[in-house]
């Protein structure tokens, strides 16, 4: 699979980052290098291998529905660039 | 051209747990902004989610109640999209191994039962809440993460509905099942139950589905139905002009009762789902599944049938009773105490519901108890009070929670069944209304009704109506 400039622009858009022309070219190269390296895996026969998402043989880890203390509002907002009356303030978003 | 409307619904229901899906923060509604958050639900780096067992079991319970197939293996996936209400920039949801699949919901429209298939039922986390200030020129939005991480159940139907009455019945039936299984409080006004509709039109007799339009921002069942009606007309007009309906997502505007395009298919979201590595899979064995099945109570349709067969109620009465689980429970408690199903049904579906509506009472916290209603029905049968007076007593009972006997004594409402006393009053009424007596003798039957009314008025409604009728008739005939 080859990554072209359109693909890079598409991914950049999904990630909400803006790239200049030089960066786009650079990422086309880098991403293709990474993918062709990963391509090596396709030389293996995986016909009878199930996809694996978890490497540990552990399952069913739960917590009880027990109330715990939340953190104080000043700590909640401490890293926020902008706040208003206890809310995080962000650039206007309209759906 | 005649078209067939094809409708499917996506339902979101917040689960009734005390804490969030992955942390111990409270799920309580209506608290000041960002008071119920912690590093986990704020999506801080380095935190790890741990699944709330009750939330998982509620989701499982709903999936079983909706007749879904439950796979032994289920896991969670990341659904990536960037929006300020989502602190991690991904939502933990399910995509590859949904908790439940291929279920169904039986609905009933005008007495005809219809099966609507359920595509899947899955568990995910809620997003935060965005507030858009109404002040003119405001260039910001506000974010409250109290809701972020609240366990959310998503139920996706197949596009099996063809008419709005089916959609209405589907929503009502689904809501009842979620309430009966006690997995959600289903308060639409608080957003704990929400619907999204997808609608397409096709020529009658055509097998292929038309382009589907999704409608969001539907805040009540009424707006779901209105939006579907609006969208049906809009798509019909497009097709009649010979154009094609574009696949898109539209937002419903409740005030102006119309929808507007939000995004087209080309702009549709690419969620890049992949398994959530921070959560372990869940294996569901037979034993656990059986234990969950055992917690599912009798569901609304089955209960309705039992009420019809077991208590000889009409289908209409039974429907009214099962409509709210709490009322059906109240009814059954009453019948257990005194076997008078029809009488209790009448009191609950007429007087109780009217009082609840008029006085804006909360049916979940009624002051009147089943044994008190049973006691009321008993003293009516004994003749202690008339059924007219009983209504007054009932009204007092529902407001104060007092026993019927207490109300009767306090208000001196005991029925007068003393023949001598009634006769004395009748004599008085007759001498006071000679014209009415003459009219009756001339054959005017309703003159008697008037005289009975006068006697009842004299006794403030307390005279035994049957005795008044009999004695009065005897007297005026003379």
């Amino acid at each position: 699979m080859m990554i072209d400039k359109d693909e890079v622009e598409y991914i950049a858009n999904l990630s909400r980052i803006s790239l200049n022309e030089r960066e786009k070219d650079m990422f086309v190269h880098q991403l293709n290098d990474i993918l062709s390296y990963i391509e090596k895996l396709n030389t293996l026969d995986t016909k009878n291998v199930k996809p694996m998402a978890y490497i540990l043989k552990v399952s069913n880890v739960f917590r009880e529905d027990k109330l715990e203390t939340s953190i104080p509002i000043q700590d909640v907002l401490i890293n926020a660039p902008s706040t208003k009356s206890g809310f995080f303030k962000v650039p206007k978003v309209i759906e | 051209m005649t078209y067939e409307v094809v409708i499917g619904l996506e339902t979101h229901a917040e689960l009734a747990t005390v804490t969030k899906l992955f942390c111990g923060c409270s799920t309580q509604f209506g608290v000041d902004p960002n008071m119920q958050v912690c590093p986990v639900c704020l999506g801080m780096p380095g935190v790890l989610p741990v699944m709330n067992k009750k939330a998982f079991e509620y989701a499982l319970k709903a999936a079983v109640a909706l007749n879904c197939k439950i796979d032994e293996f289920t896991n969670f996936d990341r659904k990536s999209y960037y929006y300020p209400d989502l602190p991690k920039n991904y939502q933990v949801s399910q995509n590859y191994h949904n908790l439940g699949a291929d279920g169904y919901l039986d609905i009933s429209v005008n007495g005809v039962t219809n099966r609507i298939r359920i595509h899947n039922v899955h568990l995910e986390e809620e997003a935060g809440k965005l507030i858009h200030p109404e002040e003119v020129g405001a260039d910001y939005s506000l974010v409250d993460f109290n809701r972020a991480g609240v366990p959310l159940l998503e139920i996706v139907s197949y596009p099996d509905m063809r008419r709005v009455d089916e959609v209405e019945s589907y929503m009502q039936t689904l809501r009842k099942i979620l309430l009966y299984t006690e997995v959600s409080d289903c308060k639409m006004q608080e957003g704990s139950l929400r619907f999204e509709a997808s609608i397409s039109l096709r020529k009658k007799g055509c097998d292929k589905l038309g382009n589907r339009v999704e409608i969001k921002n539907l805040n009540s069942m009424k707006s779901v139905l209105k939006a579907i009606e609006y969208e049906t007309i809009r798509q019909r007009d497009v097709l009649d002009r010979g154009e094609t309906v574009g696949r898109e997502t539209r937002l419903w505007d409740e005030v102006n009762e119309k929808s507007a395009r939000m995004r087209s298919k080309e702009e549709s979201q690419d969620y890049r789902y992949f398994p959530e590595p921070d959560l372990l899979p869940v294996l569901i064995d037979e034993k656990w599944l059986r234990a969950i099945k055992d917690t599912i109570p009798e569901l609304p349709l089955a209960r309705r049938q039992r009420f019809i067969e077991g208590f000889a109620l009409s289908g209409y009465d039974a429907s009214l009773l099962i409509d709210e689980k709490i009322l059906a429970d109240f009814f059954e408690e009453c019948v257990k105490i005194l076997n008078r199903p029809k009488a209790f049904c009448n009191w609950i579906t007429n007087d109780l519901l009217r009082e609840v509506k008029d006085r804006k009472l909360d049916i979940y916290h009624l002051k009147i108890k089943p044994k008190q209603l049973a006691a009321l029905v008993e003293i009516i049968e004994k003749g202690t009070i008339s059924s007219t007076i009983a209504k007054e007593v009932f009204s007092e009972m529902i407001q104060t929670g007092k026993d019927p006997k207490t109300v009767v004594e306090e208000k001196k409402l005991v029925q007068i069944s003393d023949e001598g006393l009634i006769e004395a009053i009748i004599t008085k009424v007759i001498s006071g209304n000679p014209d009415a007596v003459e009219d009756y003798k001339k054959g005017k039957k309703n003159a008697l009704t008037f005289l009975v009314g006068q006697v009842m008025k004299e006794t403030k409604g307390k005279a035994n109506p049957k005795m008044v009728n009999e004695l009065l008739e005897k007297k005026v005939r003379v």
Side-chain angles (χ1 to χ4, degrees):
Chain A
M1 181 182 155
M2 285 291 284
I3 297 253
D4 57 15
K5 210 164 123 184
D6 285 350
E7 193 75 26
V8 168
E9 282 170 353
Y10 177 68
I11 298 165
N13 180 44
L14 284 177
S15 315
R16 304 281 188 273
I17 55 174
S18 57
L19 302 175
N20 60 34
E21 289 304 308
R22 197 186 54 79
E23 286 168 323
K24 283 179 199 168
D25 287 338
M26 182 180 76
F27 284 126
V28 168
H29 266 282
Q30 289 189 353
L31 288 171
N32 276 316
D33 281 353
I34 293 168
L35 281 179
S36 47
Y37 180 67
I38 301 288
E39 278 288 302
K40 281 182 187 169
L41 289 175
N42 282 344
T43 58
L44 294 172
D45 179 10
T46 54
K47 210 166 61 195
N48 297 315
V49 181
K50 270 193 190 168
M52 182 180 71
Y54 307 94
I55 54 160
L56 301 171
K57 281 233 176 273
V58 183
S59 62
N60 300 37
V61 175
F62 293 110
R63 43 172 276 272
E64 293 306 312
D65 186 23
K66 220 180 91 203
L67 200 62
E68 279 164 49
T69 325
S70 296
I71 61 174
I73 186 81
Q74 51 272 30
D75 289 350
V76 172
L77 301 173
I78 199 164
N79 295 313
S82 183
T83 65
K84 188 182 162 81
S85 337
F87 289 97
F88 291 87
K89 192 175 168 188
V90 298
K92 191 181 179 77
V93 279
I94 332 152
E95 234 189 330
Chain B
M1 184 80 72
T2 329
Y3 299 101
E4 184 178 42
V5 191
V6 178
I7 310 156
L9 282 190
E10 264 180 36
T11 308
H12 284 100
E14 285 179 0
L15 296 175
T17 52
V18 177
T19 67
K20 294 186 180 180
L21 188 52
F22 301 125
C23 62
C25 289
S26 169
T27 57
Q28 202 191 320
F29 178 82
V31 173
D32 282 346
N34 297 308
M35 296 301 280
Q36 293 171 171
V37 291
C38 73
V40 173
C41 55
L42 284 173
M44 292 292 172
V47 296
L48 279 176
V50 187
M51 173 102 31
N52 182 334
K53 188 170 190 186
K54 186 157 254 174
F56 187 87
E57 291 194 323
Y58 278 174
L60 198 53
K61 193 172 171 184
V64 173
L66 293 167
N67 310 293
C68 284
K69 291 195 185 83
I70 312 291
D71 245 0
E72 195 195 345
F73 177 95
T74 188
N75 72 334
F76 293 83
D77 300 299
R78 289 188 181 181
K79 177 181 181 179
S80 298
Y81 66 94
Y82 287 6
Y83 211 65
D85 61 4
L86 200 62
K88 296 191 293 282
N89 287 333
Y90 60 81
Q91 178 190 28
V92 177
S93 181
Q94 298 190 285
N95 186 57
Y96 299 113
H97 297 278
N98 289 312
L99 205 120
D102 297 326
Y104 62 82
L105 180 62
D106 284 335
I107 62 168
S108 166
V109 179
N110 302 326
V112 181
T113 304
N114 201 354
R115 181 158 290 184
I116 308 298
R117 291 170 302 151
I118 305 279
H119 183 273
N120 76 74
V121 171
H122 65 262
L123 178 60
E124 60 189 20
E125 57 178 339
E126 267 273 30
K129 200 171 181 175
L130 282 172
I131 291 170
H132 308 290
E134 280 175 25
E135 57 189 273
V136 186
D139 59 348
Y140 61 92
S141 297
L142 299 172
V143 195
D144 171 10
F145 286 119
N146 282 346
R147 202 179 66 178
V150 166
L152 192 64
L153 189 72
E154 181 168 338
I155 300 149
V156 185
S157 88
Y158 274 93
D160 282 356
M161 287 164 272
R162 299 290 175 267
R163 299 190 315 266
V164 282
D165 56 4
E166 290 181 337
V167 175
E168 187 173 18
S169 176
Y170 175 87
M171 292 190 291
Q172 296 283 7
T173 312
L174 182 55
R175 179 179 171 270
K176 259 177 257 169
I177 287 177
L178 297 175
L179 284 172
Y180 267 63
T181 48
E182 294 173 329
V183 301
S184 173
D185 66 16
C186 294
K187 288 183 182 162
M188 289 200 77
Q189 67 281 12
E190 293 181 6
S192 50
L193 182 66
R194 311 191 290 268
F195 298 98
E196 284 169 23
S198 59
I199 303 148
S200 65
L201 258 59
R202 64 178 172 196
K203 279 182 199 157
K204 248 204 157 104
C206 176
D207 282 343
K208 211 172 139 267
L209 289 171
N211 272 341
R212 167 168 67 111
V213 171
E214 283 178 62
I215 304 188
K216 291 178 182 276
N217 198 37
L218 302 166
N219 298 324
S220 64
M221 291 196 190
K222 217 189 213 165
S223 45
V224 173
L225 302 177
K226 276 194 176 145
I228 291 173
E229 278 166 1
Y230 175 90
E231 184 58 21
T232 304
I233 293 168
R234 193 191 69 84
Q235 290 190 19
R236 198 186 59 205
D237 290 349
V238 171
L239 293 171
D240 279 348
R241 283 198 302 269
E243 298 165 17
T244 39
V245 173
R247 201 177 150 186
E248 60 188 22
T249 303
R250 299 177 72 86
L251 278 188
W252 180 247
D253 174 350
E254 190 151 306
V255 180
N256 298 306
E257 296 193 350
K258 51 184 172 188
S259 64
R261 192 166 92 175
M262 178 180 148
R263 58 174 174 247
S264 68
K265 191 198 171 194
E266 289 72 37
E267 304 156 84
S268 83
Q269 308 255 30
D270 179 351
Y271 294 128
R272 294 153 289 156
Y273 282 101
F274 68 92
E276 161 64 283
D278 285 348
L279 286 165
L280 290 156
V282 181
L283 304 180
I284 304 156
D285 60 19
E286 269 303 308
K287 197 180 148 209
W288 192 13
L289 200 54
R290 216 174 312 121
I292 293 289
K293 277 181 184 161
D294 287 345
T295 65
I296 295 175
E298 181 185 34
L299 294 175
L301 271 186
R303 195 173 206 186
R304 179 176 177 272
Q305 202 52 36
R306 184 168 57 83
F307 280 9
I308 294 170
E309 286 162 12
F311 300 126
L313 298 180
S314 69
Y316 177 77
D317 280 345
S319 293
L320 280 177
L321 282 177
I322 61 119
D323 215 30
E324 291 286 354
K325 179 173 185 288
I326 193 100
L327 287 185
D329 290 346
F330 192 101
F331 169 78
E332 292 214 64
E333 282 298 310
C334 290
V335 177
K336 249 184 240 163
I337 301 164
L338 187 70
N339 187 24
R340 298 286 184 279
K342 185 64 192 158
F344 291 126
C345 174
N346 287 343
W347 277 106
I348 293 167
T349 58
N350 298 325
D351 303 82
L352 190 141
L353 283 180
R354 194 186 49 244
E355 291 277 350
V356 163
K357 193 168 160 243
D358 290 353
R359 300 183 195 279
K360 297 188 172 57
L361 304 175
D362 177 2
I363 54 165
Y364 290 93
H365 299 98
L366 285 178
K367 284 185 177 156
I368 188 168
K369 301 293 168 226
K371 69 168 196 293
Q372 295 175 316
L373 182 57
L376 180 67
V377 169
E378 212 170 356
I379 60 172
I380 301 166
E381 283 190 1
K382 273 191 193 154
T384 313
I385 55 171
S386 69
S387 46
T388 322
I389 290 292
K391 302 217 179 254
E392 193 184 330
V393 177
F394 180 82
S395 176
E396 181 74 12
M397 286 164 69
I398 202 163
Q399 289 175 69
T400 60
K402 284 178 185 165
D403 284 336
K405 279 183 185 125
T406 316
V407 179
V408 170
E409 277 161 26
E410 279 179 7
K411 298 201 148 191
K412 300 191 170 53
L413 295 172
V414 176
Q415 181 160 269
I416 302 167
S417 299
D418 180 328
E419 202 171 309
L421 197 58
I422 294 178
E423 270 182 348
I425 296 160
I426 286 176
T427 313
K428 195 176 147 204
V429 166
I430 285 179
S431 60
N433 298 280
D435 294 350
V437 178
E438 273 311 304
D439 284 350
Y440 179 75
K441 282 179 175 163
K442 280 179 198 155
K444 275 194 185 168
K445 288 273 184 246
N446 53 2
L448 190 74
T449 318
F450 169 79
L451 290 168
V452 170
Q454 292 304 306
V455 177
M456 295 311 281
K457 203 170 148 191
E458 282 289 321
T459 59
K460 295 193 179 72
K462 287 185 284 185
N464 182 329
K466 200 166 157 250
M467 288 176 70
V468 173
N469 251 307
E470 285 170 6
L471 292 170
L472 195 65
E473 223 180 330
K474 230 186 270 168
K475 282 259 177 191
V476 287
R477 263 207 204 120
V478 180

